[in-house]
């Protein structure tokens, strides 16, 4: 495929749209500046009070940026149904209610754009989070992971995610990878 797009996340959003439905519960495991949180909110929000967006990030700055973006973009009903948590995504199972039918768990790994580049997602907690996401997801749901390799630890994390997905049972999961062919994979 050759997409007329500029960002990897835009391609991820296109995939989400084919899986997520109005009224769904979804999780943004790495809120950052809130752009993905907002995109998924727009996919699930309807007039009801059924939909839920759970957002997680370990950085206070990230959650503040996400809150500001949501404040300027959402109506009061939508705002009410977004729940943000300042915790590691490996703990998503503690904050998302057990009876939630979560259809999308999205990860946009790496560091906070515009923030401290030394604070990044880490292979160990990313793998724990992927295990947690597997347990939370409804059948037919999607775990979306955008991985960057250009920062320290990025390559290791990419390989860890690849190994995790490659090892999932073919009876229960279909694991696919999009790779950007016009950018170097490893710098
Ligand atoms: N989705 C974001 C957006 O639309 O702006 C961008 C996410 S940014 C690439 C990665 C984020 O992951 C950072 O904000 C960082 O603080 C967060 N992060 C790092 N480790 C984390 C962890 N263990 N649990 C949750 N978030 C984490």
């Amino acid at each position: 495929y050759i997409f007329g797009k500029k960002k990897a996340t835009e391609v991820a959003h296109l995939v989400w749209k084919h899986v997520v439905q109005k009224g769904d519960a979804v999780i943004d495991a790495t809120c950052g500046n809130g752009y993905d949180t907002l995109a998924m909110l727009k996919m699930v929000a309807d007039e009801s009070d059924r939909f839920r967006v759970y957002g997680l990030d370990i950085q206070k700055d990230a959650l503040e940026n996400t809150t500001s973006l949501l404040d300027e973009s959402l109506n009061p009903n939508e705002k009410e149904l977004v729940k943000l948590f300042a915790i590691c995504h490996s703990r998503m199972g503690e904050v998302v209610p057990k009876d939630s039918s979560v259809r999308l768990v999205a990860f946009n790994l790496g560091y906070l754009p515009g923030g401290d580049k030394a604070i990044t997602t880490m292979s160990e907690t990313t793998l724990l989070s992927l295990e947690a996401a597997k347990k939370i997801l409804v059948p037919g749901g999607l775990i979306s992971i955008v991985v960057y390799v250009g920062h320290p630890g990025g390559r290791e994390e990419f390989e860890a995610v690849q190994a995790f997905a490659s090892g999932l049972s073919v009876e229960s999961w279909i694991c696919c990878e999009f790779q950007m062919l016009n950018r170097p994979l490893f710098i």
Side-chain angles (χ1 to χ4, degrees):
Y1 299 98
I2 299 179
F3 293 97
K5 299 274 179 197
K6 289 187 180 152
K7 293 180 172 177
T9 48
E10 291 178 297
V11 176
H13 296 177
L14 288 177
V15 178
W16 301 353
K17 277 184 191 155
H18 288 276
V19 177
V20 163
Q21 297 162 19
K22 295 286 180 199
D24 277 349
V26 292
I27 300 176
D28 185 350
T30 50
C31 284
N33 292 319
Y35 296 108
D36 292 321
T37 319
L38 179 60
M40 59 178 75
L41 183 281
K42 291 294 173 195
M43 292 179 206
V44 299
D46 57 14
E47 300 305 311
S48 76
D49 60 0
R50 290 178 303 140
F51 67 90
R52 294 284 184 282
V53 178
Y54 300 97
L56 289 76
D57 203 293
I58 47 166
Q59 291 194 72
K60 193 167 152 274
D61 284 357
L63 291 175
E64 281 173 7
N65 294 351
T66 298
T67 303
S68 305
L69 182 71
L70 297 178
D71 279 349
E72 64 196 39
S73 315
L74 304 186
N75 67 40
N77 182 46
E78 291 171 336
K79 250 188 256 179
E80 178 68 27
L81 297 174
V82 181
K83 311 287 177 198
L84 300 180
F85 300 95
I87 60 166
C88 174
H89 37 216
S90 59
R91 297 176 57 200
M92 65 177 77
E94 296 172 28
V95 293
V96 176
K98 298 272 174 284
D99 58 351
S100 311
S101 298
V102 173
R103 209 183 302 271
L104 169 68
V105 183
F107 295 82
N108 186 349
L109 302 176
Y111 56 82
L112 175 66
D116 183 348
K117 290 188 178 177
I119 304 174
T120 66
T121 50
M122 308 289 288
S123 303
E124 198 183 332
T125 39
T126 298
L127 291 178
L128 290 172
S129 313
L130 290 171
E131 285 295 347
K134 268 174 62 190
K135 293 191 189 118
I136 285 175
L137 208 66
V138 289
L142 173 73
I143 301 174
S144 164
I145 312 147
V146 177
V147 197
Y148 306 93
V149 294
H151 60 277
R155 178 176 181 156
E156 183 202 335
E157 190 171 37
F158 168 70
E159 287 172 349
V161 169
Q162 230 182 11
F164 173 88
S166 306
L168 294 181
S169 120
V170 285
E171 276 76 41
S172 310
W173 302 95
I174 297 173
C175 303
C176 304
E177 179 183 333
F178 283 98
Q179 184 194 327
M180 294 173 92
L181 297 175
N182 52 347
R183 287 194 192 179
L185 187 52
F186 298 122
I187 304 159

